[in-house]
Amino acid sequence: MTAALERRFEVARAVVSDAARLALSMRPPPGGPIGTQKSAQDWLTEADGAVEAFISQRMATLFPEDGFQGEEEGSTRQGSLRWVVDPIDGTSNFARGRNRWCVSLGLLEDDRPVAGVVCAPALGETYTGLIGKGAFLNGTPIKASPVSDPKSAMIEMGWSNRVPREVFNEKIDAILRLGAMPRSGGSGALALTDVACGRLDGYIEIVINLWDVAGALPILAEAGACVSPFLRDGGLTGGATILAVAPGIASALSEAVKIPLS
């Protein structure tokens, strides 16, 4: 299966690159959001459907035996190897013509993340990871941050309208009490890859979906980050909580925000 996974990984890199160029060509100009607002701060653009369809069709042609799951159309094919795509992660940024968004594609073998590609074309960055083969940013190896003191840490927390305000405030307060610096950037996949390369020391999201994280999970694993058991705790079938954190502050942050890492 190793050769099959490596072949799929190389194909995924090319397919995501093409899909990212398509997405970039469809990005609105800077300004007020262009798209359909599904709920508070939850946007859908024409590019979401177009990019997902592009990747789905390409993978169906190249690997017809593989399963496929997308944010927009759900699970459309079944297989022991399953592609999971978020066509535009960070849609609220994309809809305003901002740069912080990405195309994310992950590959699961049964229920185990084995390969991922996260491409942010407006930033000129592509993260890749294949289990056992390392994690990379534009071809250069990456590792999680060496930070060991929370007072030197930068922690991002994702916002969702599915999370009560009190819960969000409680977690932010816990981050502040550690002396860490909170951030919020509007793209869960890019926040996770930022943890993988050390630009962030931790990322928390209380309710996040499989398509948001599938591409980043193998990258995090290969970069040496600590990650909560998202898939075990419900992430395969619905929204679940994720904590990704640099090893040196993993215990402190996990305890502070009350999100176990095992």
Side-chain angles (χ1 to χ4, degrees), residues 218-236:
I219 299 169
L220 286 161
E222 288 298 298
C226 299
V227 184
S228 62
F230 169 82
L231 299 179
R232 185 198 71 187
D233 292 348
L236 281 169

Side-chain angles (χ1 to χ4, degrees), residues 156-198:
E156 182 166 337
M157 182 166 177
W159 182 90
S160 168
N161 58 35
R162 295 178 288 179
V163 178
R165 182 180 62 185
E166 295 77 13
V167 174
F168 184 86
N169 288 340
E170 173 191 310
K171 305 304 182 187
I172 289 293
D173 185 62
I175 293 169
L176 292 170
R177 288 178 183 274
L178 282 175
M181 180 184 296
R183 283 284 188 269
S184 187
S187 170
L190 286 181
L192 292 170
T193 54
D194 276 351
V195 173
C197 74

Side-chain angles (χ1 to χ4, degrees), residues 1-248:
M1 182 56 71
T2 300
L5 290 179
E6 289 183 351
R7 176 170 175 259
R8 282 168 169 80
F9 176 62
E10 292 303 323
V11 168
R13 292 172 60 184
V15 170
V16 170
S17 178
D18 290 344
R21 281 194 292 271
L22 171 62
L24 191 60
S25 74
M26 299 179 72
R27 181 178 54 160
I34 296 175
T36 302
Q37 190 165 11
K38 297 185 287 186
S39 58
Q41 301 300 327
D42 188 6
W43 290 88
L44 176 67
T45 70
E46 183 182 0
D48 289 274
V51 171
E52 182 170 314
F54 174 87
I55 296 175
S56 177
Q57 292 163 10
R58 186 73 69 87
M59 290 310 187
T61 299
L62 294 167
F63 305 111
E65 67 275 28
D66 291 357
F68 190 88
Q69 179 180 355
E71 178 180 8
E72 305 308 324
E73 296 297 326
S75 182
T76 56
R77 298 188 296 277
Q78 304 300 317
S80 60
L81 290 169
R82 174 170 41 134
W83 300 98
V84 182
V85 63
D86 190 339
I88 306 288
D89 187 87
T91 310
S92 60
N93 288 338
F94 179 88
R96 289 181 176 269
R98 299 183 67 183
N99 291 339
R100 190 170 174 77
W101 54 273
C102 63
V103 178
S104 173
L105 181 63
L107 179 62
L108 275 63
E109 183 178 21
D110 295 320
D111 293 337
R112 183 174 73 106
V114 292
V117 181
V118 177
C119 179
L123 300 174
E125 296 184 345
T126 300
Y127 294 85
T128 58
L130 178 64
I131 292 300
K133 299 294 185 178
F136 301 85
L137 168 55
N138 290 347
T140 300
I142 55 174
K143 287 292 182 185
S145 164
V147 163
S148 58
D149 182 354
K151 293 182 176 61
S152 301
M154 183 180 293
I155 310 297
E156 182 166 337
M157 182 166 177
W159 182 90
S160 168
N161 58 35
R162 295 178 288 179
V163 178
R165 182 180 62 185
E166 295 77 13
V167 174
F168 184 86
N169 288 340
E170 173 191 310
K171 305 304 182 187
I172 289 293
D173 185 62
I175 293 169
L176 292 170
R177 288 178 183 274
L178 282 175
M181 180 184 296
R183 283 284 188 269
S184 187
S187 170
L190 286 181
L192 292 170
T193 54
D194 276 351
V195 173
C197 74
R199 287 172 171 165
L200 285 173
D201 305 298
Y203 179 68
I204 302 161
E205 188 148 351
I206 303 302
V207 182
I208 195 169
N209 293 302
L210 178 61
W211 51 80
D212 298 301
V213 308
L217 288 175
I219 299 169
L220 286 161
E222 288 298 298
C226 299
V227 184
S228 62
F230 169 82
L231 299 179
R232 185 198 71 187
D233 292 348
L236 281 169
T237 57
T241 297
I242 195 165
L243 167 63
V245 57

